Amino acid sequence: EERCMKLRRPQKINHFPGMQQVAHKCKLARHLNRLRDSLPALFDFHPETFNLPVDAKALQRACGEKHKRTFIVKPDDGACGVGIFLTRKPERIPATLVCVAQRYITRPMLIDDRKFD
């Protein structure tokens, strides 16, 4: 509230309280996974998601031995596509990298022929 009182006439605030809970990939993934566990019929719209390095063993099991599934790896602190890569081998993901690994969707939903999130 104090910040709002100091604003001048043309100034605006573009952050909402708690915005980091949805703006950071790992936090958003954790919340969506929890909601999927609690309400599976309502929260089945996002792909299988793993928070790394915490969920590294679960990702290994999901990939299986034959590495047939493709995952997109997104660094938690990345922006504008920097640091994003695809892999079928979870061992290629640095063990200390804080990131989200999601099952890659080859035919995603599009808006005006563009991907969105």
Side-chain angles (χ1 to χ4, degrees), residues 1-3 5 7 9 26-27 31 40 45 48 51 54 58 75 79 90 93-94 100 105 108:
E1 282 183 29
E2 193 173 311
R3 288 190 330 175
M5 300 302 289
L7 290 176
R9 188 171 187 133
C26 288
K27 290 178 183 176
H31 293 306
F45 57 85
E48 188 175 23
N51 276 316
V54 175
I93 302 170
V100 168
I105 299 173

Side-chain angles (χ1 to χ4, degrees), residues 32-46:
L32 287 173
N33 284 338
R34 284 181 181 169
L35 286 166
R36 177 186 275 165
D37 291 343
S38 300
L39 303 163
L42 296 176
F43 288 90
D44 64 348
F45 57 85
H46 71 101

Side-chain angles (χ1 to χ4, degrees), residues 24 29 34 44 48 59 63 72-74 94 96:
H24 289 258
R34 284 181 181 169
D44 64 348
E48 188 175 23
L59 176 62
C63 285
I72 184 166
V73 180
K74 305 172 187 180
T96 58

